[in-house]
Amino acid sequence: MIALLTGTLAQKIPNEIVLETGGVGYRVFISLLTFARLPEPGAPLTLLIHTAVREDDISLYGFLDEG
């Protein structure tokens, strides 16, 4: 299970980002509060990750802190 991702913020739109880590771009869903606190694309970023596994989907949800 993915618990943490560190990489470069490649893309951001409200509710989701692409975080490039080791040459792989991970689509991570985020809240609007997290979106407002993100740096500009190209900046380094670390997110805590909740991995949601369902029968037909695996989704990543990112948080800047545990609060």
Side-chain angles (χ1 to χ4, degrees):
M1 204 135 43
I2 298 171
L4 179 89
L5 285 174
T6 297
T8 302
L9 181 59
Q11 212 176 56
K12 70 177 189 177
I13 59 172
N15 296 321
E16 72 180 68
I17 65 164
V18 175
L19 186 63
E20 184 180 337
T21 302
V24 177
Y26 292 92
R27 184 171 76 168
V28 181
F29 296 101
I30 56 170
S31 69
L32 289 177
L33 178 62
T34 297
F35 177 79
R37 296 175 54 202
L38 290 176
E40 291 302 311
L45 179 64
T46 297
L47 289 176
L48 300 170
I49 300 293
H50 170 75
T51 306
V53 179
R54 297 183 186 90
E55 183 177 317
D56 60 347
D57 184 56
I58 298 174
S59 295
L60 304 176
Y61 296 89
F63 306 89
L64 290 169
D65 52 47
E66 292 186 29

